Amino acid sequence: MGVYIHKSILELQDLNFNEKLVLAYFFANKENLKDDNVVIANRLHLTKTNVRQIIFKLKAKKYIEVVGVYSCRKIKILKDIKMKFEKATFNGFLLDDDILILDFCTSKKFILAEIRSLIYSKNGRCTVSNLYLSSLLNLSVCFVKKTITELEKSGILKRDLKNVKGKTERTIILNLNNPIATDEAPAEDEKEVKEEAPKQQYDDEVLAVFESFPKRPMMTVLKIEEQKKLCLPILQSKSKEELDFIKFVISFNSKNNESWKAGFMPYMYKFLCVDKEKYFNEAVKLEFDKFKNKPKVNANLQLLNLQLERDLFTFFSKIEENVWELSDVDILEEFKNRYILSYVKFNDDDFNKMALQMIKEYRPTALNL
Protein backbone atom coordinates (compact mmCIF):
# COMPACT_ATOMS: atom_id res chain seq x y z
CA MET A 1 0.00 0.00 0.00
CA GLY A 2 2.60 2.57 1.10
CA VAL A 3 2.38 6.38 1.25
CA TYR A 4 2.90 8.74 -1.69
CA ILE A 5 5.14 11.72 -0.87
CA HIS A 6 4.27 14.48 -3.33
CA LYS A 7 6.88 17.15 -4.08
CA SER A 8 4.57 19.83 -2.60
CA ILE A 9 4.94 18.16 0.80
CA LEU A 10 8.60 17.40 0.25
CA GLU A 11 9.30 21.10 -0.32
CA LEU A 12 7.79 22.24 3.02
CA GLN A 13 10.79 23.75 4.82
CA ASP A 14 9.27 23.94 8.32
CA LEU A 15 8.60 20.19 8.60
CA ASN A 16 11.06 17.39 9.34
CA PHE A 17 10.92 14.03 7.55
CA ASN A 18 8.63 12.29 10.06
CA GLU A 19 6.21 15.23 9.96
CA LYS A 20 6.17 15.17 6.15
CA LEU A 21 5.50 11.42 6.24
CA VAL A 22 2.52 11.75 8.61
CA LEU A 23 1.13 14.75 6.71
CA ALA A 24 1.38 12.79 3.44
CA TYR A 25 -0.49 9.94 5.15
CA PHE A 26 -3.29 12.35 6.11
CA PHE A 27 -3.56 13.65 2.53
CA ALA A 28 -3.64 10.08 1.21
CA ASN A 29 -6.54 9.30 3.57
CA LYS A 30 -8.50 12.54 3.25
CA GLU A 31 -11.81 10.73 3.17
CA ASN A 32 -11.11 8.82 6.39
CA LEU A 33 -9.08 10.71 8.96
CA LYS A 34 -10.31 8.88 12.05
CA ASP A 35 -7.34 6.54 12.52
CA ASP A 36 -5.97 6.60 16.07
CA ASN A 37 -2.28 6.94 16.89
CA VAL A 38 -1.73 3.19 17.18
CA VAL A 39 -3.09 2.56 13.67
CA ILE A 40 -0.98 5.37 12.20
CA ALA A 41 2.12 4.16 14.06
CA ASN A 42 1.69 0.62 12.75
CA ARG A 43 1.12 1.82 9.19
CA LEU A 44 4.17 4.12 9.13
CA HIS A 45 6.46 2.01 11.31
CA LEU A 46 6.70 4.71 13.99
CA THR A 47 6.05 4.52 17.71
CA LYS A 48 2.82 5.69 19.28
CA THR A 49 4.78 8.40 21.11
CA ASN A 50 6.34 9.56 17.80
CA VAL A 51 2.91 9.90 16.22
CA ARG A 52 1.46 11.78 19.20
CA GLN A 53 4.34 14.27 19.16
CA ILE A 54 4.16 14.71 15.37
CA ILE A 55 0.40 15.40 15.47
CA PHE A 56 1.01 17.93 18.24
CA LYS A 57 3.68 19.66 16.09
CA LEU A 58 1.52 19.64 12.93
CA LYS A 59 -1.30 21.15 14.94
CA ALA A 60 1.01 23.84 16.37
CA LYS A 61 2.23 24.67 12.86
CA LYS A 62 -1.39 25.08 11.67
CA TYR A 63 -1.28 22.19 9.18
CA ILE A 64 -4.05 20.22 10.88
CA GLU A 65 -6.76 20.55 13.48
CA VAL A 66 -7.79 17.79 15.88
CA VAL A 67 -11.56 17.57 16.27
CA GLY A 68 -13.16 15.67 19.14
CA VAL A 69 -11.68 13.63 22.00
CA TYR A 70 -9.25 10.74 21.60
CA SER A 71 -11.86 7.96 21.46
CA CYS A 72 -13.65 9.60 18.51
CA ARG A 73 -10.97 11.94 17.24
CA LYS A 74 -10.89 13.19 13.67
CA ILE A 75 -8.08 15.02 11.88
CA LYS A 76 -8.99 18.05 9.78
CA ILE A 77 -6.42 19.29 7.23
CA LEU A 78 -6.17 23.09 7.37
CA LYS A 79 -3.67 23.87 4.58
CA ASP A 80 -4.69 23.54 0.96
CA ILE A 81 -1.59 22.00 -0.61
CA LYS A 82 -1.93 21.69 -4.38
CA MET A 83 -0.68 18.32 -5.62
CA LYS A 84 -0.31 18.70 -9.37
CA PHE A 85 1.15 15.97 -11.56
CA GLU A 86 3.17 17.08 -14.57
CA LYS A 87 4.63 14.96 -17.32
CA ALA A 88 8.40 14.55 -17.69
CA THR A 89 9.14 16.15 -14.33
CA PHE A 90 9.63 15.09 -10.70
CA ASN A 91 6.26 14.80 -8.95
CA GLY A 92 7.18 12.77 -5.87
CA PHE A 93 7.74 9.15 -4.93
CA LEU A 94 5.94 6.24 -3.32
CA LEU A 95 7.17 5.07 0.06
CA ASP A 96 6.21 1.39 -0.19
CA ASP A 97 5.61 -0.87 2.81
CA ASP A 98 8.84 -2.80 2.20
CA ILE A 99 10.76 0.45 2.73
CA LEU A 100 8.58 1.69 5.58
CA ILE A 101 9.24 -1.44 7.66
CA LEU A 102 13.03 -1.05 7.48
CA ASP A 103 14.67 0.04 10.73
CA PHE A 104 16.11 3.20 9.21
CA CYS A 105 15.56 6.85 10.03
CA THR A 106 12.95 8.45 7.78
CA SER A 107 15.46 10.49 5.76
CA LYS A 108 17.17 7.26 4.64
CA LYS A 109 13.80 5.79 3.69
CA PHE A 110 13.15 8.87 1.54
CA ILE A 111 16.51 8.39 -0.21
CA LEU A 112 15.69 4.74 -0.90
CA ALA A 113 12.21 5.59 -2.17
CA GLU A 114 13.55 8.17 -4.62
CA ILE A 115 16.21 5.77 -5.91
CA ARG A 116 13.54 3.13 -6.51
CA SER A 117 11.30 5.70 -8.21
CA LEU A 118 14.14 6.61 -10.58
CA ILE A 119 14.85 2.94 -11.33
CA TYR A 120 11.19 2.44 -12.30
CA SER A 121 11.10 5.56 -14.48
CA LYS A 122 14.53 5.20 -16.15
CA ASN A 123 14.22 1.75 -17.68
CA GLY A 124 15.65 0.03 -14.62
CA ARG A 125 18.73 2.28 -14.35
CA CYS A 126 19.46 4.83 -11.64
CA THR A 127 22.56 6.97 -12.24
CA VAL A 128 21.51 9.74 -9.87
CA SER A 129 24.24 11.76 -8.12
CA ASN A 130 24.60 12.48 -4.41
CA LEU A 131 24.23 16.19 -5.22
CA TYR A 132 20.82 15.59 -6.83
CA LEU A 133 19.53 13.66 -3.79
CA SER A 134 20.98 16.30 -1.47
CA SER A 135 19.20 19.12 -3.30
CA LEU A 136 15.91 17.23 -3.67
CA LEU A 137 15.62 16.22 -0.01
CA ASN A 138 17.37 19.25 1.54
CA LEU A 139 20.12 17.10 3.06
CA SER A 140 23.86 17.66 3.13
CA VAL A 141 25.89 15.93 0.42
CA CYS A 142 28.00 14.43 3.22
CA PHE A 143 24.93 12.82 4.80
CA VAL A 144 23.75 11.39 1.45
CA LYS A 145 27.21 9.99 0.69
CA LYS A 146 27.40 8.39 4.16
CA THR A 147 23.90 6.93 3.76
CA ILE A 148 24.67 5.39 0.34
CA THR A 149 27.83 3.81 1.79
CA GLU A 150 25.95 2.40 4.80
CA LEU A 151 23.15 1.03 2.60
CA GLU A 152 25.71 -0.69 0.37
CA LYS A 153 27.44 -2.26 3.39
CA SER A 154 24.09 -3.57 4.64
CA GLY A 155 23.34 -5.12 1.24
CA ILE A 156 20.31 -2.93 0.51
CA LEU A 157 21.91 -1.54 -2.63
CA LYS A 158 24.94 -2.02 -4.84
CA ARG A 159 26.95 0.57 -6.76
CA ASP A 160 28.21 -0.36 -10.23
CA LEU A 161 30.99 2.04 -11.30
CA LYS A 162 32.04 2.30 -14.96
CA ASN A 163 34.34 4.59 -16.90
CA VAL A 164 32.32 6.30 -19.64
CA LYS A 165 34.31 8.66 -21.88
CA GLY A 166 36.78 9.43 -19.15
CA LYS A 167 34.14 9.99 -16.46
CA THR A 168 32.98 7.60 -13.75
CA GLU A 169 29.30 6.71 -14.10
CA ARG A 170 27.57 5.20 -11.07
CA THR A 171 24.59 2.92 -11.43
CA ILE A 172 22.66 2.01 -8.28
CA ILE A 173 21.06 -1.43 -8.01
CA LEU A 174 18.53 -2.13 -5.23
CA ASN A 175 18.15 -5.35 -3.23
CA LEU A 176 15.39 -4.63 -0.71
CA ASN A 177 14.88 -8.31 0.08
CA ASN A 178 18.19 -8.39 1.96
CA PRO A 179 17.44 -9.68 5.49
CA ILE A 180 20.27 -7.83 7.25
CA ALA A 181 18.96 -4.36 6.47
CA THR A 182 19.13 -2.54 9.78
CA ASP A 183 20.09 0.84 11.07
CA GLU A 184 21.91 1.26 14.36
CA ALA A 185 20.62 4.80 14.74
CA PRO A 186 17.14 5.38 16.24
CA ALA A 187 14.45 6.25 13.71
CA GLU A 188 13.91 9.75 15.05
CA ASP A 189 14.26 12.89 12.93
CA GLU A 190 15.21 14.83 16.06
CA LYS A 191 18.50 12.79 16.10
CA GLU A 192 19.08 12.61 12.37
CA VAL A 193 19.10 16.40 12.10
CA LYS A 194 22.62 16.36 13.56
CA GLU A 195 23.77 14.24 10.60
CA GLU A 196 21.86 15.98 7.84
CA ALA A 197 23.46 19.40 7.62
CA PRO A 198 26.31 21.33 9.22
CA LYS A 199 24.11 23.50 11.42
CA GLN A 200 25.42 25.68 14.24
CA GLN A 201 25.73 23.48 17.28
CA TYR A 202 25.67 24.76 20.83
CA ASP A 203 24.94 21.45 22.54
CA ASP A 204 25.98 22.45 26.06
CA GLU A 205 24.30 25.81 25.86
CA VAL A 206 21.15 24.37 24.30
CA LEU A 207 20.83 21.87 27.15
CA ALA A 208 21.53 24.64 29.68
CA VAL A 209 18.72 26.75 28.20
CA PHE A 210 16.32 23.81 28.48
CA GLU A 211 17.38 23.11 32.07
CA SER A 212 16.95 26.79 33.01
CA PHE A 213 13.27 26.76 32.07
CA PRO A 214 11.26 26.38 35.31
CA LYS A 215 9.49 23.03 35.67
CA ARG A 216 5.94 22.89 36.87
CA PRO A 217 5.41 21.56 40.41
CA MET A 218 4.88 17.78 40.40
CA MET A 219 6.03 17.58 36.75
CA THR A 220 6.81 13.93 36.03
CA VAL A 221 10.10 12.63 34.63
CA LEU A 222 8.17 11.32 31.62
CA LYS A 223 6.75 14.78 30.90
CA ILE A 224 10.19 16.39 31.24
CA GLU A 225 11.65 13.90 28.74
CA GLU A 226 8.76 14.54 26.37
CA GLN A 227 9.41 18.29 26.54
CA LYS A 228 13.13 17.72 26.01
CA LYS A 229 12.51 15.73 22.81
CA LEU A 230 10.21 18.46 21.53
CA CYS A 231 12.35 21.45 22.49
CA LEU A 232 15.99 20.46 21.93
CA PRO A 233 15.66 20.26 18.11
CA ILE A 234 14.01 23.69 18.14
CA LEU A 235 16.76 25.19 20.31
CA GLN A 236 19.49 23.56 18.22
CA SER A 237 18.14 25.30 15.12
CA LYS A 238 18.56 28.74 16.73
CA SER A 239 21.51 31.08 16.23
CA LYS A 240 23.71 32.15 19.15
CA GLU A 241 21.91 35.48 19.38
CA GLU A 242 18.47 33.81 19.34
CA LEU A 243 19.54 31.48 22.16
CA ASP A 244 20.69 34.47 24.19
CA PHE A 245 17.31 36.11 23.68
CA ILE A 246 15.47 32.94 24.74
CA LYS A 247 17.61 32.71 27.90
CA PHE A 248 16.83 36.33 28.70
CA VAL A 249 13.07 35.86 28.22
CA ILE A 250 13.12 32.82 30.53
CA SER A 251 15.04 34.75 33.19
CA PHE A 252 12.83 37.83 32.72
CA ASN A 253 9.60 35.89 33.24
CA SER A 254 11.06 33.89 36.15
CA LYS A 255 11.72 37.17 37.96
CA ASN A 256 8.82 39.36 36.83
CA ASN A 257 5.92 37.07 35.95
CA GLU A 258 3.79 36.37 39.02
CA SER A 259 2.11 33.33 37.48
CA TRP A 260 5.54 31.80 36.80
CA LYS A 261 6.58 32.43 40.40
CA ALA A 262 3.42 30.66 41.54
CA GLY A 263 4.22 27.63 39.39
CA PHE A 264 1.80 28.35 36.55
CA MET A 265 4.35 28.72 33.77
CA PRO A 266 3.56 27.11 30.40
CA TYR A 267 5.31 23.99 29.17
CA MET A 268 8.47 24.96 27.32
CA TYR A 269 7.23 23.83 23.88
CA LYS A 270 4.18 26.04 24.26
CA PHE A 271 6.43 28.89 25.42
CA LEU A 272 8.71 28.51 22.35
CA CYS A 273 6.10 27.83 19.65
CA VAL A 274 2.43 28.23 20.52
CA ASP A 275 2.51 31.35 22.74
CA LYS A 276 5.77 32.85 21.45
CA GLU A 277 4.14 36.15 20.43
CA LYS A 278 3.04 36.60 24.03
CA TYR A 279 6.56 36.22 25.44
CA PHE A 280 8.83 37.32 22.59
CA ASN A 281 7.24 40.71 21.96
CA GLU A 282 8.70 44.16 21.26
CA ALA A 283 8.59 45.27 24.91
CA VAL A 284 10.71 42.31 26.00
CA LYS A 285 12.99 42.83 22.99
CA LEU A 286 13.67 46.39 24.22
CA GLU A 287 14.53 45.03 27.67
CA PHE A 288 16.85 42.50 26.03
CA ASP A 289 18.62 45.25 24.08
CA LYS A 290 19.20 47.16 27.33
CA PHE A 291 20.49 43.98 28.94
CA LYS A 292 22.90 43.35 26.03
CA ASN A 293 24.45 46.79 26.48
CA LYS A 294 25.18 46.23 30.16
CA PRO A 295 28.67 45.06 31.20
CA LYS A 296 29.01 41.35 30.49
CA VAL A 297 28.77 38.92 33.37
CA ASN A 298 29.62 35.26 33.64
CA ALA A 299 26.85 33.27 31.91
CA ASN A 300 27.51 30.19 34.06
CA LEU A 301 27.05 32.25 37.21
CA GLN A 302 23.77 33.60 35.87
CA LEU A 303 22.56 30.10 35.15
CA LEU A 304 23.77 28.91 38.57
CA ASN A 305 21.90 31.76 40.24
CA LEU A 306 18.69 30.97 38.37
CA GLN A 307 18.92 27.24 39.07
CA LEU A 308 19.70 27.78 42.77
CA GLU A 309 16.78 30.19 43.17
CA ARG A 310 14.45 27.60 41.72
CA ASP A 311 15.77 24.58 43.64
CA LEU A 312 16.23 26.36 46.98
CA PHE A 313 12.67 27.68 46.78
CA THR A 314 11.45 24.10 46.26
CA PHE A 315 13.74 22.81 49.01
CA PHE A 316 12.60 25.37 51.61
CA SER A 317 8.94 24.80 50.78
CA LYS A 318 9.34 21.15 51.85
CA ILE A 319 11.57 21.29 54.96
CA GLU A 320 10.35 21.41 58.55
CA GLU A 321 10.67 24.63 60.57
CA ASN A 322 13.17 23.06 62.99
CA VAL A 323 15.69 22.73 60.18
CA TRP A 324 16.37 26.46 60.58
CA GLU A 325 17.98 25.65 63.95
CA LEU A 326 20.91 24.21 61.96
CA SER A 327 23.77 26.37 60.75
CA ASP A 328 23.85 27.68 57.17
CA VAL A 329 26.60 25.17 56.35
CA ASP A 330 24.58 22.24 57.69
CA ILE A 331 21.50 23.35 55.74
CA LEU A 332 23.67 23.57 52.63
CA GLU A 333 24.87 20.00 53.18
CA GLU A 334 21.27 18.80 53.45
CA PHE A 335 20.46 20.64 50.22
CA LYS A 336 23.48 19.01 48.51
CA ASN A 337 22.28 15.54 49.52
CA ARG A 338 19.14 16.10 47.46
CA TYR A 339 20.24 18.26 44.54
CA ILE A 340 24.03 18.05 44.05
CA LEU A 341 23.79 15.92 40.88
CA SER A 342 22.19 18.90 39.12
CA TYR A 343 25.21 21.08 39.87
CA VAL A 344 28.20 18.95 38.86
CA LYS A 345 28.89 21.24 35.87
CA PHE A 346 29.39 24.29 38.10
CA ASN A 347 32.43 25.38 40.07
CA ASP A 348 32.24 24.18 43.71
CA ASP A 349 33.41 27.50 45.16
CA ASP A 350 30.85 29.47 43.13
CA PHE A 351 28.12 27.01 44.14
CA ASN A 352 28.92 27.11 47.88
CA LYS A 353 29.29 30.89 47.99
CA MET A 354 26.06 31.59 46.12
CA ALA A 355 24.03 28.92 47.94
CA LEU A 356 25.16 30.12 51.39
CA GLN A 357 24.25 33.71 50.50
CA MET A 358 20.77 32.63 49.41
CA ILE A 359 20.30 30.53 52.56
CA LYS A 360 21.07 33.65 54.63
CA GLU A 361 18.46 35.59 52.67
CA TYR A 362 15.84 32.88 53.07
CA ARG A 363 16.49 32.40 56.79
CA PRO A 364 13.69 33.87 58.98
CA THR A 365 14.87 37.08 60.69
CA ALA A 366 14.26 35.72 64.16
CA LEU A 367 16.52 32.72 63.46
CA ASN A 368 19.62 34.44 62.07
CA LEU A 369 22.72 32.61 63.37
Side-chain angles (χ1 to χ4, degrees):
M1 184 177 175
V3 179
Y4 190 82
I5 312 294
H6 190 269
K7 66 178 179 180
S8 300
I9 293 179
L10 202 59
E11 291 169 354
L12 296 172
Q13 297 296 313
D14 59 335
L15 300 184
N16 64 35
F17 288 102
N18 277 343
E19 290 164 1
K20 291 175 183 177
L21 175 59
V22 173
L23 184 62
Y25 177 83
F26 288 150
F27 272 99
N29 294 273
K30 265 187 173 183
E31 304 305 318
N32 180 24
L33 291 173
K34 297 181 180 180
D35 291 346
D36 61 31
N37 293 349
V38 175
V39 173
I40 298 172
N42 290 336
R43 283 289 300 112
L44 302 181
H45 199 63
L46 299 169
T47 68
K48 181 181 175 182
T49 301
N50 286 154
V51 173
R52 180 165 57 85
Q53 291 173 348
I54 291 166
I55 289 176
F56 185 76
K57 290 179 183 179
L58 290 174
K59 181 182 175 183
K61 294 174 183 178
K62 310 297 184 184
Y63 280 94
I64 64 170
E65 181 182 349
V66 180
V67 181
V69 296
Y70 184 80
S71 59
C72 55
R73 181 197 73 185
K74 185 175 181 180
I75 301 295
K76 180 181 178 182
I77 299 175
L78 299 180
K79 291 207 175 184
D80 184 21
I81 300 176
K82 302 296 183 183
M83 296 190 184
K84 297 180 180 179
F85 290 86
E86 303 171 1
K87 292 183 177 180
T89 185
F90 172 78
N91 290 299
F93 49 75
L94 180 65
L95 206 56
D96 283 314
D97 288 336
D98 58 348
I99 293 179
L100 279 172
I101 64 172
L102 296 173
D103 289 328
F104 293 147
C105 60
T106 307
S107 58
K108 291 183 180 180
K109 293 178 182 179
F110 275 36
I111 291 173
L112 272 175
E114 172 57 9
I115 290 173
R116 173 186 269 181
S117 174
L118 289 169
I119 289 174
Y120 286 166
S121 63
K122 302 291 183 180
N123 298 320
R125 283 170 51 82
C126 174
T127 57
V128 66
S129 68
N130 293 341
L131 183 61
Y132 168 82
L133 292 170
S134 167
S135 176
L136 177 69
L137 301 175
N138 195 26
L139 296 168
S140 70
V141 176
C142 181
F143 178 75
V144 173
K145 181 179 179 181
K146 180 182 176 184
T147 297
I148 297 294
T149 301
E150 290 175 351
L151 292 174
E152 185 173 33
K153 287 180 179 178
S154 68
I156 287 288
L157 60 78
K158 180 182 177 182
R159 290 179 291 183
D160 182 22
L161 304 177
K162 290 183 179 179
N163 188 300
V164 179
K165 296 182 180 180
K167 293 183 179 180
T168 301
E169 182 182 273
R170 180 185 71 178
T171 301
I172 298 177
I173 304 166
L174 284 186
N175 178 25
L176 288 169
N177 294 321
N178 192 292
I180 63 169
T182 59
D183 191 345
E184 294 180 1
E188 298 178 17
D189 282 315
E190 288 76 8
K191 296 186 178 180
E192 74 191 29
V193 166
K194 296 179 183 178
E195 300 175 299
E196 288 169 11
K199 295 181 180 179
Q200 291 175 298
Q201 295 294 318
Y202 310 101
D203 290 339
D204 292 340
E205 189 166 357
V206 162
L207 188 58
V209 172
F210 175 79
E211 294 294 344
S212 71
F213 193 84
K215 308 299 185 293
R216 290 185 174 192
M218 307 303 291
M219 193 170 175
T220 65
V221 174
L222 183 63
K223 190 67 179 178
I224 292 173
E225 285 303 310
E226 177 190 81
Q227 287 291 299
K228 182 181 286 188
K229 286 183 178 180
L230 288 171
C231 295
L232 289 190
I234 296 171
L235 294 173
Q236 285 171 331
S237 70
K238 303 296 182 183
S239 67
K240 180 70 166 61
E241 185 175 354
E242 288 173 321
L243 283 178
D244 289 339
F245 185 35
I246 291 171
K247 283 193 297 185
F248 174 80
V249 177
I250 293 172
S251 176
F252 182 84
N253 280 281
S254 298
K255 293 177 180 178
N256 302 296
N257 193 320
E258 294 301 322
S259 66
W260 282 40
K261 290 180 182 179
F264 297 107
M265 72 290 294
Y267 288 120
M268 192 175 189
Y269 181 84
K270 191 175 181 183
F271 163 78
L272 287 173
C273 299
V274 182
D275 291 340
K276 62 182 179 181
E277 292 181 3
K278 175 181 178 181
Y279 296 104
F280 297 90
N281 51 50
E282 283 301 316
V284 177
K285 184 66 167 61
L286 289 173
E287 291 294 327
F288 176 63
D289 291 338
K290 293 178 185 176
F291 169 78
K292 281 197 304 183
N293 295 324
K294 289 182 179 179
K296 298 296 181 182
V297 295
N298 188 304
N300 278 335
L301 289 180
Q302 281 189 316
L303 181 58
L304 175 61
N305 183 279
L306 185 63
Q307 197 165 323
L308 274 171
E309 283 186 344
R310 179 194 65 197
D311 290 341
L312 279 169
F313 178 83
T314 303
F315 172 69
F316 289 131
S317 68
K318 295 178 180 179
I319 63 174
E320 302 291 335
E321 286 294 327
N322 58 10
V323 171
W324 290 112
E325 297 175 5
L326 301 174
S327 68
D328 292 345
V329 174
D330 289 336
I331 292 175
L332 176 57
E333 288 303 313
E334 180 61 29
F335 175 76
K336 284 182 177 180
N337 288 338
R338 306 187 191 188
Y339 291 92
I340 195 60
L341 290 178
S342 300
Y343 294 90
V344 292
K345 59 187 173 185
F346 296 108
N347 179 279
D348 285 343
D349 291 337
D350 291 338
F351 169 75
N352 290 333
K353 181 179 178 181
M354 194 175 292
L356 285 170
Q357 180 60 36
M358 288 186 182
I359 290 172
K360 288 181 184 297
E361 292 174 0
Y362 273 107
R363 181 179 288 281
T365 307
L367 293 174
N368 279 327
L369 297 178

